[in-house]
Amino acid sequence: MRILSSLILICLSVPGWADVISPKGKVIDCYCTDKAGSRVELGEMICLQVDGRMFMAQCQMSQNVPMWREISPGCLSSDAGAVGGQSVNPAIHAGQSAS
């Protein structure tokens, strides 16, 4: 239960890590970038491919530097192909009864 409470507390505090205030009071945005140079916010996860290896990584801070941390091997997929013989694109055909 203690571990779960700690994990919840850490997850709730992640948005507060997104900005750093310099000694002069200026707010500095902290974020990661993907291979195309697009901005990825702290806490977001993406699939990275490095040296032929693919893995899920999360944008995190480490010693005041945004960095990618490997979360799990392999990447999640959203390919929702046919499952159990179910049609991906069902259509109602004339002459068939719905029984």
Side-chain angles (χ1 to χ4, degrees):
M1 186 65 180
R2 262 174 103 178
I3 294 172
L4 180 60
S5 299
S6 298
L7 183 61
I8 290 171
L9 182 61
I10 290 170
C11 290
L12 292 175
S13 65
V14 168
W17 296 346
D19 296 328
V20 174
I21 300 175
S22 72
K24 294 182 180 180
K26 182 180 178 184
V27 176
I28 302 169
D29 279 340
C30 295
Y31 56 91
C32 297
T33 54
D34 61 12
K35 69 178 182 180
S38 300
R39 181 177 173 142
V40 179
E41 299 297 331
L42 290 173
E44 287 187 42
M45 289 180 34
I46 66 170
C47 175
L48 288 181
Q49 183 174 4
V50 179
D51 295 329
R53 211 169 60 87
M54 295 180 75
F55 54 92
M56 291 300 296
Q58 184 179 39
C59 177
Q60 297 182 358
M61 292 294 288
S62 177
Q63 298 184 3
N64 295 330
V65 178
M67 50 82 74
W68 290 107
R69 183 176 309 269
E70 182 174 349
I71 300 299
S72 64
C75 291
L76 300 176
S77 174
S78 63
D79 182 20
V83 178
Q86 186 175 12
S87 174
V88 174
N89 189 12
I92 298 175
H93 299 285
Q96 290 184 336
S97 65
S99 54

